PDB file of all heavy atoms in Angstrom:
ATOM      1  N   HIS N  32      73.173  92.958 131.563  1.00 37.00           N
ATOM      2  CA  HIS N  32      72.858  94.176 132.291  1.00 37.00           C
ATOM      3  C   HIS N  32      72.236  93.887 133.652  1.00 37.00           C
ATOM      4  O   HIS N  32      71.511  94.707 134.199  1.00 37.00           O
ATOM      5  CB  HIS N  32      71.916  95.082 131.483  1.00 37.00           C
ATOM      6  CG  HIS N  32      72.399  95.338 130.097  1.00 37.00           C
ATOM      7  ND1 HIS N  32      73.574  95.994 129.825  1.00 37.00           N
ATOM      8  CD2 HIS N  32      71.887  94.987 128.889  1.00 37.00           C
ATOM      9  CE1 HIS N  32      73.761  96.065 128.521  1.00 37.00           C
ATOM     10  NE2 HIS N  32      72.761  95.454 127.931  1.00 37.00           N
ATOM     11  N   GLY N  33      72.511  92.726 134.210  1.00 37.00           N
ATOM     12  CA  GLY N  33      72.001  92.422 135.527  1.00 37.00           C
ATOM     13  C   GLY N  33      70.527  92.101 135.559  1.00 37.00           C
ATOM     14  O   GLY N  33      69.923  92.022 136.627  1.00 37.00           O
ATOM     15  N   ARG N  34      69.912  91.900 134.381  1.00 35.00           N
ATOM     16  CA  ARG N  34      68.483  91.598 134.370  1.00 35.00           C
ATOM     17  C   ARG N  34      68.247  90.148 134.731  1.00 35.00           C
ATOM     18  O   ARG N  34      69.109  89.298 134.513  1.00 35.00           O
ATOM     19  CB  ARG N  34      67.904  91.869 132.975  1.00 35.00           C
ATOM     20  CG  ARG N  34      67.927  93.343 132.590  1.00 35.00           C
ATOM     21  CD  ARG N  34      67.041  93.559 131.365  1.00 35.00           C
ATOM     22  NE  ARG N  34      67.577  92.903 130.203  1.00 35.00           N
ATOM     23  CZ  ARG N  34      68.402  93.480 129.344  1.00 35.00           C
ATOM     24  NH1 ARG N  34      68.827  94.703 129.556  1.00 35.00           N
ATOM     25  NH2 ARG N  34      68.829  92.833 128.284  1.00 35.00           N
ATOM     26  N   LYS N  35      67.088  89.870 135.244  1.00 36.00           N
ATOM     27  CA  LYS N  35      66.730  88.486 135.522  1.00 36.00           C
ATOM     28  C   LYS N  35      66.493  87.756 134.209  1.00 36.00           C
ATOM     29  O   LYS N  35      66.264  88.352 133.160  1.00 36.00           O
ATOM     30  CB  LYS N  35      65.463  88.439 136.378  1.00 36.00           C
ATOM     31  CG  LYS N  35      65.669  88.996 137.782  1.00 36.00           C
ATOM     32  CD  LYS N  35      64.389  88.877 138.586  1.00 36.00           C
ATOM     33  CE  LYS N  35      64.597  89.427 139.997  1.00 36.00           C
ATOM     34  NZ  LYS N  35      63.364  89.342 140.808  1.00 36.00           N
ATOM     35  N   ARG N  36      66.527  86.436 134.296  1.00 34.00           N
ATOM     36  CA  ARG N  36      66.284  85.629 133.108  1.00 34.00           C
ATOM     37  C   ARG N  36      64.943  86.008 132.503  1.00 34.00           C
ATOM     38  O   ARG N  36      63.955  86.194 133.179  1.00 34.00           O
ATOM     39  CB  ARG N  36      66.269  84.140 133.490  1.00 34.00           C
ATOM     40  CG  ARG N  36      66.048  83.231 132.282  1.00 34.00           C
ATOM     41  CD  ARG N  36      66.019  81.777 132.735  1.00 34.00           C
ATOM     42  NE  ARG N  36      65.715  80.902 131.637  1.00 34.00           N
ATOM     43  CZ  ARG N  36      66.609  80.401 130.817  1.00 34.00           C
ATOM     44  NH1 ARG N  36      67.860  80.710 130.981  1.00 34.00           N
ATOM     45  NH2 ARG N  36      66.271  79.596 129.843  1.00 34.00           N
ATOM     46  N   ARG N  37      64.939  86.163 131.173  1.00 39.00           N
ATOM     47  CA  ARG N  37      63.697  86.522 130.499  1.00 39.00           C
ATOM     48  C   ARG N  37      63.383  85.518 129.433  1.00 39.00           C
ATOM     49  O   ARG N  37      64.261  84.806 128.973  1.00 39.00           O
ATOM     50  CB  ARG N  37      63.824  87.908 129.877  1.00 39.00           C
ATOM     51  CG  ARG N  37      64.983  88.028 128.958  1.00 39.00           C
ATOM     52  CD  ARG N  37      65.367  89.480 128.752  1.00 39.00           C
ATOM     53  NE  ARG N  37      66.733  89.461 128.259  1.00 39.00           N
ATOM     54  CZ  ARG N  37      67.070  89.754 127.030  1.00 39.00           C
ATOM     55  NH1 ARG N  37      66.182  90.174 126.205  1.00 39.00           N
ATOM     56  NH2 ARG N  37      68.288  89.663 126.619  1.00 39.00           N
ATOM     57  N   CYS N  38      62.148  85.473 129.063  1.00 39.00           N
ATOM     58  CA  CYS N  38      61.721  84.526 128.036  1.00 39.00           C
ATOM     59  C   CYS N  38      62.008  85.104 126.665  1.00 39.00           C
ATOM     60  O   CYS N  38      62.152  86.304 126.492  1.00 39.00           O
ATOM     61  CB  CYS N  38      60.228  84.226 128.179  1.00 39.00           C
ATOM     62  SG  CYS N  38      59.813  83.448 129.745  1.00 39.00           S
ATOM     63  N   GLY N  39      62.024  84.233 125.664  1.00 41.00           N
ATOM     64  CA  GLY N  39      62.207  84.691 124.293  1.00 41.00           C
ATOM     65  C   GLY N  39      63.673  84.801 123.927  1.00 41.00           C
ATOM     66  O   GLY N  39      64.578  84.626 124.740  1.00 41.00           O
ATOM     67  N   ARG N  40      63.907  85.127 122.664  1.00 48.00           N
ATOM     68  CA  ARG N  40      65.260  85.228 122.152  1.00 48.00           C
ATOM     69  C   ARG N  40      65.918  86.514 122.639  1.00 48.00           C
ATOM     70  O   ARG N  40      65.256  87.524 122.848  1.00 48.00           O
ATOM     71  CB  ARG N  40      65.244  85.233 120.625  1.00 48.00           C
ATOM     72  CG  ARG N  40      64.868  83.898 120.021  1.00 48.00           C
ATOM     73  CD  ARG N  40      65.067  83.954 118.532  1.00 48.00           C
ATOM     74  NE  ARG N  40      64.876  82.653 117.917  1.00 48.00           N
ATOM     75  CZ  ARG N  40      65.085  82.410 116.632  1.00 48.00           C
ATOM     76  NH1 ARG N  40      65.479  83.393 115.834  1.00 48.00           N
ATOM     77  NH2 ARG N  40      64.895  81.203 116.128  1.00 48.00           N
ATOM     78  N   PRO N  41      67.269  86.490 122.764  1.00 49.00           N
ATOM     79  CA  PRO N  41      67.974  87.729 123.094  1.00 49.00           C
ATOM     80  C   PRO N  41      67.875  88.705 121.926  1.00 49.00           C
ATOM     81  O   PRO N  41      67.753  88.301 120.767  1.00 49.00           O
ATOM     82  CB  PRO N  41      69.421  87.269 123.298  1.00 49.00           C
ATOM     83  CG  PRO N  41      69.526  86.002 122.517  1.00 49.00           C
ATOM     84  CD  PRO N  41      68.174  85.344 122.621  1.00 49.00           C
ATOM     85  N   THR N  42      67.929  89.998 122.216  1.00 58.00           N
ATOM     86  CA  THR N  42      67.872  90.992 121.155  1.00 58.00           C
ATOM     87  C   THR N  42      69.184  91.002 120.383  1.00 58.00           C
ATOM     88  O   THR N  42      70.211  90.521 120.867  1.00 58.00           O
ATOM     89  CB  THR N  42      67.620  92.387 121.734  1.00 58.00           C
ATOM     90  OG1 THR N  42      68.777  92.766 122.504  1.00 58.00           O
ATOM     91  CG2 THR N  42      66.384  92.396 122.636  1.00 58.00           C
ATOM     92  N   SER N  43      69.160  91.607 119.194  1.00 56.00           N
ATOM     93  CA  SER N  43      70.379  91.696 118.395  1.00 56.00           C
ATOM     94  C   SER N  43      71.431  92.535 119.113  1.00 56.00           C
ATOM     95  O   SER N  43      72.639  92.267 119.007  1.00 56.00           O
ATOM     96  CB  SER N  43      70.073  92.298 117.021  1.00 56.00           C
ATOM     97  OG  SER N  43      69.511  93.593 117.154  1.00 56.00           O
ATOM     98  N   HIS N  44      70.983  93.540 119.861  1.00 58.00           N
ATOM     99  CA  HIS N  44      71.930  94.372 120.606  1.00 58.00           C
ATOM    100  C   HIS N  44      72.635  93.550 121.682  1.00 58.00           C
ATOM    101  O   HIS N  44      73.852  93.649 121.857  1.00 58.00           O
ATOM    102  CB  HIS N  44      71.186  95.549 121.256  1.00 58.00           C
ATOM    103  CG  HIS N  44      72.077  96.429 122.084  1.00 58.00           C
ATOM    104  ND1 HIS N  44      73.024  97.257 121.533  1.00 58.00           N
ATOM    105  CD2 HIS N  44      72.162  96.599 123.430  1.00 58.00           C
ATOM    106  CE1 HIS N  44      73.662  97.907 122.495  1.00 58.00           C
ATOM    107  NE2 HIS N  44      73.151  97.526 123.659  1.00 58.00           N
ATOM    108  N   ASP N  45      71.880  92.713 122.400  1.00 66.00           N
ATOM    109  CA  ASP N  45      72.482  91.836 123.407  1.00 66.00           C
ATOM    110  C   ASP N  45      73.498  90.894 122.769  1.00 66.00           C
ATOM    111  O   ASP N  45      74.585  90.669 123.307  1.00 66.00           O
ATOM    112  CB  ASP N  45      71.400  91.002 124.102  1.00 66.00           C
ATOM    113  CG  ASP N  45      70.518  91.834 125.024  1.00 66.00           C
ATOM    114  OD1 ASP N  45      70.924  92.962 125.374  1.00 66.00           O
ATOM    115  OD2 ASP N  45      69.424  91.361 125.375  1.00 66.00           O
TER     116      ASP N  45
END
Side-chain angles (χ1 to χ4, degrees):
H32 309 297
R34 294 194 294 269
K35 293 182 180 179
R36 181 181 176 87
R37 55 200 160 109
C38 298
R40 290 188 173 185
T42 67
S43 59
H44 178 71
D45 289 343

